[in-house]
Amino acid sequence: AKELTNDEKIGKILQLACQSKWTEWDELINLDLKWKEILYSFSPSMLSFLLNSIQGTLPDPVNLRRWKKTAEARCHLCGWKYCSQVHILCSCKVALQQGRISWRHDSILGSILKWMKVSRKSQKEKGSTEDRMRKLPTLKESFVAAGTPRPTRKKPQQTPCQWWGDTQDWKFLSDKRDSQYQIPPEITCSPLRPDICIYSLERKSCLFVELTSPFEDNIAEWKVKKSTKYDDLVRRSRDNGWNTKLFTVEVGARGFVNTSSMALFRFVGLTSKQCKGIRKELSTIAIRSSYFIWLNRENKEWIQPSKVVD
């Protein structure tokens, strides 16, 4: 048989209604899985789940009916008559009530919060602006006499993040299913609670982070919704004299991360190497969580497991 060229393969994929959805995810970062990661990070069954979920070929009730394996396509948990993988991984009412979907969300959120604290700790270890100025060599120390070998230059350190400043009173708050917070009244009074609130009373600076873990097809829509939802909150806090920033982070149920989501980690001073590691960590947590949700799609009992960590 004649081997198809890459263009011919893509053209054939685009003719498939279900399997070609992933070709429309222009704003998402590719998973970029390497053989080493595939062999050591994913079991064969988890890898099969991931590949089939991307292609839209998981044996969910809708597909089983399409393949004439069953007569109905009802959800085993809530009885919804059109139970697709989107329904199972993101929108089943019983799964939402039992905390299955929020469990994946909170697992990803825990990783984001961890890296925010890593950034803050790294800034503290670098010392204050005055301390860094004292470490700069004097003119005499910088002078190299004639005939003296030039000293080996040390690799310049990354420019410290300006967001954290020299203040020491930064507070980290997060909104999870089992623990909520209220925005401090010094910032503004509001019933809204972004997933993460990091603030300094001394610096009058506040960083809001809102995480969404929807189906990849809906990421662009959810980004707009969440940004619009908190516009008024950000405006009122700024009216109170606060330097407020809002970042939205979108990590799809199948591990694809929105390109714009990485702006948060660059903003707080994390390196490019760290950002690459963060993206892979968020993807892995999302995939593992969704796989566990998938495995329990027919199990009506749900015991809240520990948060997934990479």
Side-chain angles (χ1 to χ4, degrees):
K2 179 184 176 182
E3 185 176 350
L4 298 176
T5 65
N6 287 338
D7 289 341
E8 289 172 334
K9 290 177 182 178
I10 293 175
K12 187 173 181 62
I13 291 172
L14 291 175
Q15 294 174 9
L16 305 175
C18 295
Q19 291 89 338
S20 65
K21 288 288 186 181
W22 60 270
T23 61
E24 302 171 6
W25 302 344
D26 296 332
E27 298 301 319
L28 306 186
I29 303 173
N30 291 331
L31 292 180
D32 190 27
L33 294 177
K34 297 179 174 58
W35 278 113
K36 183 178 179 181
E37 295 169 359
I38 292 174
L39 291 174
Y40 294 103
S41 298
F42 299 96
S43 65
S45 57
M46 187 186 299
L47 181 60
S48 174
F49 160 78
L50 174 61
L51 297 178
N52 279 292
S53 66
I54 293 173
Q55 295 293 328
T57 52
L58 282 175
D60 56 55
V62 167
N63 278 338
L64 290 175
R65 186 178 64 179
R66 180 184 294 119
W67 301 332
K68 302 187 186 306
K69 300 290 185 181
T70 59
E72 291 188 338
R74 292 189 177 276
C75 175
H76 290 274
L77 299 181
C78 69
W80 175 242
K81 60 183 179 181
Y82 191 80
C83 181
S84 63
Q85 62 173 345
V86 183
H87 177 83
I88 294 171
L89 297 179
C90 296
S91 60
C92 173
K93 290 183 179 180
V94 173
L96 289 166
Q97 291 168 358
Q98 292 180 336
R100 303 184 188 208
I101 312 303
S102 61
W103 168 71
R104 179 181 63 218
H105 173 278
D106 291 351
S107 295
I108 300 170
L109 188 66
S111 176
I112 296 173
L113 187 61
K114 178 192 74 174
W115 281 105
M116 294 297 99
K117 292 179 178 179
V118 166
S119 173
R120 174 61 189 136
K121 182 180 179 181
S122 175
Q123 179 70 14
K124 287 178 68 175
E125 291 174 349
K126 292 176 182 177
S128 65
T129 305
E130 293 181 359
D131 293 336
R132 293 193 294 269
M133 291 298 292
R134 293 193 197 100
K135 293 179 182 178
L136 293 176
T138 62
L139 181 62
K140 182 177 180 180
E141 292 171 336
S142 302
F143 179 75
V144 179
T148 304
R150 182 187 292 272
T152 304
R153 288 180 177 270
K154 293 184 179 180
K155 185 178 179 180
Q157 293 184 345
Q158 183 187 12
T159 304
C161 173
Q162 300 301 316
W163 172 255
W164 301 114
D166 298 334
T167 55
Q168 304 298 318
D169 68 331
W170 287 98
K171 306 294 183 186
F172 294 77
L173 306 174
S174 62
D175 187 61
K176 299 179 180 179
R177 181 179 175 86
D178 55 0
S179 62
Q180 288 84 39
Y181 74 92
Q182 289 296 330
I183 294 176
E186 293 89 347
I187 301 174
T188 188
C189 293
S190 173
L192 297 177
R193 293 190 306 268
D195 288 316
I196 294 176
C197 173
I198 305 172
Y199 70 96
S200 165
L201 292 174
E202 181 181 344
R203 195 171 171 83
K204 291 202 75 173
S205 294
C206 179
L207 178 66
F208 290 132
V209 181
E210 179 65 14
L211 167 68
T212 313
S213 182
F215 214 60
E216 276 76 359
D217 301 16
N218 304 323
I219 277 183
E221 179 184 349
W222 275 106
K223 178 177 176 59
V224 173
K225 284 183 179 179
K226 290 302 181 80
S227 298
T228 305
K229 177 180 179 180
Y230 294 106
D231 277 347
D232 186 61
L233 173 63
V234 172
R235 179 187 58 77
R236 286 192 286 111
S237 65
R238 288 174 177 171
D239 289 343
N240 288 340
W242 282 73
N243 176 24
T244 303
K245 304 289 184 183
L246 170 67
F247 287 90
T248 62
V249 177
E250 295 82 32
V251 181
R254 290 165 287 181
F256 287 80
V257 181
N258 197 9
T259 307
S260 62
S261 299
M262 303 312 296
L264 165 67
F265 305 104
R266 292 191 292 267
F267 176 76
V268 296
L270 294 170
T271 65
S272 297
K273 183 178 181 180
Q274 286 174 317
C275 288
K276 185 176 181 180
I278 292 167
R279 189 256 300 167
K280 290 187 176 182
E281 181 175 310
L282 299 181
S283 293
T284 302
I285 292 173
I287 293 167
R288 288 179 177 175
S289 301
S290 291
Y291 180 53
F292 189 75
I293 293 171
W294 168 258
L295 291 178
N296 285 273
R297 64 191 182 279
E298 298 181 12
N299 184 6
K300 295 186 177 182
E301 299 295 326
W302 174 263
I303 299 175
Q304 189 79 358
S306 301
K307 301 292 187 296
V308 177
V309 293
D310 185 40

